[in-house]
Amino acid sequence: MESYFSPWGELRRNGIGVHCGETGCFNKTPYEVFFAWMEDVLDILKSHDIGYALWNFRGSFGVLDSGRTDIEYEEWRGHKLDRRLLNLLQRY
């Protein structure tokens, strides 16, 4: 993945703003696979000073009500919160 993002990092180092506008993973992907991949992607983006956005905040790609069946959610204001993902996003 590093080699894929490298050209974008080069643009960023040359003063050109770069933003990864669609970040996320299919909610049927096993959670541990998704989480490891997401952490790698965010680490690479951060190393190149590239901003990012999730496909959505609430819904199949988000931290709320994603519909994943292989994680434990935290109840938050009537929604199912993926606290582990939220904590990861807050680190990056």
Side-chain angles (χ1 to χ4, degrees):
M1 284 192 306
E2 178 62 46
S3 63
Y4 176 80
F5 285 102
S6 185
W8 301 105
E10 185 64 29
L11 287 173
R12 186 68 199 104
R13 285 186 290 285
N14 286 310
I16 298 170
V18 178
H19 177 78
C20 181
E22 294 184 351
T23 306
C25 186
F26 183 53
N27 68 353
K28 303 304 181 208
T29 303
Y31 189 78
E32 293 304 320
V33 173
F34 150 69
F35 194 87
W37 173 84
M38 188 69 167
E39 190 168 26
D40 287 346
V41 167
L42 294 176
D43 187 55
I44 291 168
L45 291 174
K46 184 175 183 176
S47 75
H48 291 294
D49 195 27
I50 296 173
Y52 73 92
L54 289 178
W55 274 320
N56 56 10
F57 180 73
R58 188 174 115 203
S60 58
F61 292 91
V63 297
L64 290 178
D65 305 326
S66 68
R68 291 181 178 279
T69 59
D70 56 348
I71 64 169
E72 286 191 34
Y73 291 100
E74 176 182 321
E75 198 64 32
W76 185 80
R77 297 184 182 187
H79 297 279
K80 293 180 177 181
L81 170 65
D82 180 346
R83 173 65 67 180
R84 187 174 171 203
L85 177 57
L86 177 59
N87 290 340
L88 176 67
L89 296 172
Q90 289 173 325
R91 287 194 345 243
Y92 291 93

